[in-house]
Amino acid sequence: MMNILLVDDDTELTALLTRYLERELFKVTAVHTAEEGLAEALSARYQAVVLDVMLPGGSGIDILGQIRTRSDVPVLMLTAKGDEMDRIQGLEVGADDYIPKPCNPRELSARLRSILRRGRSADVISATLEVEDLVIDFDKHIVHRNGEELDLTVTEFNILGVLVREAGKVVDKNRLAEQSMQRSLTLFDRSLDMHLSNLRKKLGPSPGGEQRIKTVRGVGYMYQMEQGSAED
């Protein structure tokens, strides 16, 4: 059973979502303020957090930023329908996905199951991969650069894992989304681009000073590295 934290001040909506998700065999805890949401999200009791952007006592974006300083728990943001800026800000700060309000409970359930599958994807690959100055531990879901642990979200880790295992080859954009986010991209969906932008910033340049992840326009993305620099 997936233990979910739902943070939203709309009590009618949270009651509706809770009833639906519990029928889908999720265990749901609902809180309604920024302070409660932050405390619960950092309690390490939840497999995922559903977080509204507008909350009494603070912004959901600010709360997400505080969560990311101490936890990599997957976070799905609830954003106003059509408000692209909220979606972009949430992804920049470290949200794993977003869904517009008012949301369809069935879609929310599907997105949460997708996030759960992402978190479990590392269990399928049991190895440590060394790529230049990176050490990627698929068992522990950890990446080190020159011995320093990088603070990657679940989605960022999965994107990196897909790309480095096909280093030197172009990975189709839709295939990368399906393998790392467990869903296909929709028209005007910029979530994968935002995750890649965040990942590039966290990885920094390669030892040779080059950008690690190259965009191949109209096709997809490729992890660039010197031949023979990866080890299983």
Side-chain angles (χ1 to χ4, degrees), residues 139-186:
D139 285 332
K140 297 180 180 178
H141 229 249
I142 294 174
V143 178
H144 286 89
R145 183 188 60 214
N146 291 324
E148 178 185 357
E149 184 176 338
L150 300 181
D151 184 20
L152 303 186
T153 67
V154 171
T155 304
E156 291 163 359
F157 181 92
N158 288 341
I159 290 172
L160 178 62
V162 173
L163 291 175
V164 297
R165 287 192 171 274
E166 299 195 42
K169 300 178 183 178
V170 180
V171 179
D172 176 83
K173 187 173 183 177
N174 285 323
R175 181 161 70 87
L176 179 58
E178 289 170 356
Q179 291 186 2
S180 62
M181 301 170 61
Q182 309 300 319
R183 66 178 177 85
S184 300
L185 294 174
T186 57

Side-chain angles (χ1 to χ4, degrees), residues 44-114:
R45 294 200 298 265
Y46 304 97
Q47 281 73 57
V49 176
V50 180
L51 178 63
D52 190 19
V53 170
M54 301 296 293
L55 291 167
S59 161
I61 302 295
D62 293 337
I63 297 305
L64 174 59
Q66 294 181 65
I67 291 172
R68 281 291 169 257
T69 64
R70 297 169 57 185
S71 172
D72 63 355
V73 61
V75 176
L76 187 153
M77 297 294 298
L78 293 175
T79 64
K81 188 173 183 179
D83 195 335
E84 184 178 12
M85 186 53 64
D86 281 345
R87 296 196 293 271
I88 291 173
Q89 286 183 326
L91 292 168
E92 286 177 337
V93 175
D96 291 273
D97 207 345
Y98 63 84
I99 188 170
K101 292 176 67 177
C103 64
N104 184 311
R106 183 177 179 182
E107 181 180 2
L108 177 60
S109 173
R111 294 290 185 93
L112 288 170
R113 293 188 188 283
S114 172

Side-chain angles (χ1 to χ4, degrees), residues 111-126:
R111 294 290 185 93
L112 288 170
R113 293 188 188 283
S114 172
I115 286 176
L116 178 60
R117 287 196 297 271
R118 294 180 215 174
R120 288 178 175 172
S121 64
D123 297 335
V124 178
I125 304 171
S126 179

Side-chain angles (χ1 to χ4, degrees), residues 187-229:
L187 190 63
F188 306 122
D189 187 343
R190 297 182 57 199
S191 55
L192 180 62
D193 298 324
M194 295 304 305
H195 288 307
L196 278 157
S197 176
N198 293 338
L199 179 58
R200 283 172 170 142
K201 291 175 185 176
K202 293 178 181 181
L203 292 174
S206 69
E210 302 295 326
Q211 188 177 73
R212 299 175 193 265
I213 300 173
K214 177 183 179 181
T215 300
V216 181
R217 294 191 179 279
V219 183
Y221 302 93
M222 178 177 68
Y223 190 95
Q224 304 182 100
M225 67 176 190
E226 295 182 2
Q227 189 172 5
S229 63

Side-chain angles (χ1 to χ4, degrees), residues 15-68:
L16 170 66
L17 294 177
T18 297
R19 286 195 299 271
Y20 184 88
L21 292 174
E22 287 180 343
R23 288 200 300 268
E24 294 291 304
L25 301 181
F26 292 92
K27 181 179 180 182
V28 182
T29 299
V31 297
H32 308 293
T33 68
E35 183 179 5
E36 291 175 309
L38 178 60
E40 286 294 320
L42 295 176
S43 69
R45 294 200 298 265
Y46 304 97
Q47 281 73 57
V49 176
V50 180
L51 178 63
D52 190 19
V53 170
M54 301 296 293
L55 291 167
S59 161
I61 302 295
D62 293 337
I63 297 305
L64 174 59
Q66 294 181 65
I67 291 172
R68 281 291 169 257

